[in-house]
Amino acid sequence: MNKVPLTLRGAELLKEELQRLKSVERPAVIEAIAEARSHGDLSENAEYDAAKERQAFVEGRIAELEGKLSNAQIINPSELDAEGRIVFGTTVDLMDLETEEEVTYQIVGDDEADIKFAKVSVNSPIARALIGKEAGDVAEVMAPGGIREYEILDVKYI
């Protein structure tokens, strides 16, 4: 299996979710199954079916998280010597050259990506256009509406 790149924070979040699934969700599902079983005939028991479905989801997610964490390559941007270049984990200040709007993004793994928190996947078009560039460079990003140009204002390794 390929290594899964994660920031330190991303790995912590996956570990927290895994712990919650094992210590809270799994016992709750087991209890729900036992409760549904106590109601008798399982062939027409919607509660039992729903609990079994939830159990399958929880167990699948636990297996998925354990797999990702066992194959994680945790990258701490503050320990990288990237000589000012944009790499995985860096936080980048950009200016859209068309609108002059400034935005800040952190380049993270697929599991951490969340645009609401300004975290973009390393596999996204914008991240691919930025990787390897440095402050002062202009990156051309293929967006759904056509090519957009961003000037790189600052690169931070935090």
Side-chain angles (χ1 to χ4, degrees), residues 14-34:
L14 291 184
K15 287 175 188 172
E16 287 171 14
E17 181 183 356
L18 180 60
Q19 181 61 32
R20 182 184 53 77
L21 287 169
K22 286 182 168 183
S23 64
V24 178
E25 298 291 329
R26 183 186 268 167
V29 166
I30 291 169
E31 192 174 311
I33 289 171

Side-chain angles (χ1 to χ4, degrees), residues 31-94:
E31 192 174 311
I33 289 171
E35 174 70 23
R37 272 195 178 129
S38 73
H39 296 172
D41 184 9
L42 298 181
S43 65
E44 295 179 18
N45 190 328
E47 287 177 32
Y48 179 77
D49 291 341
K52 289 299 280 184
E53 196 172 295
R54 178 75 183 145
Q55 181 183 37
F57 172 80
V58 168
E59 295 302 327
R61 184 66 180 154
I62 288 171
E64 180 184 3
L65 290 173
E66 287 176 339
K68 286 178 181 177
L69 287 168
S70 69
N71 290 301
Q73 179 181 1
I74 298 172
I75 300 169
N76 184 346
S78 65
E79 295 175 356
L80 296 175
D81 183 16
E83 300 172 354
R85 289 187 317 277
I86 298 170
V87 294
F88 181 89
T90 53
T91 300
V92 187
D93 294 332
L94 307 170

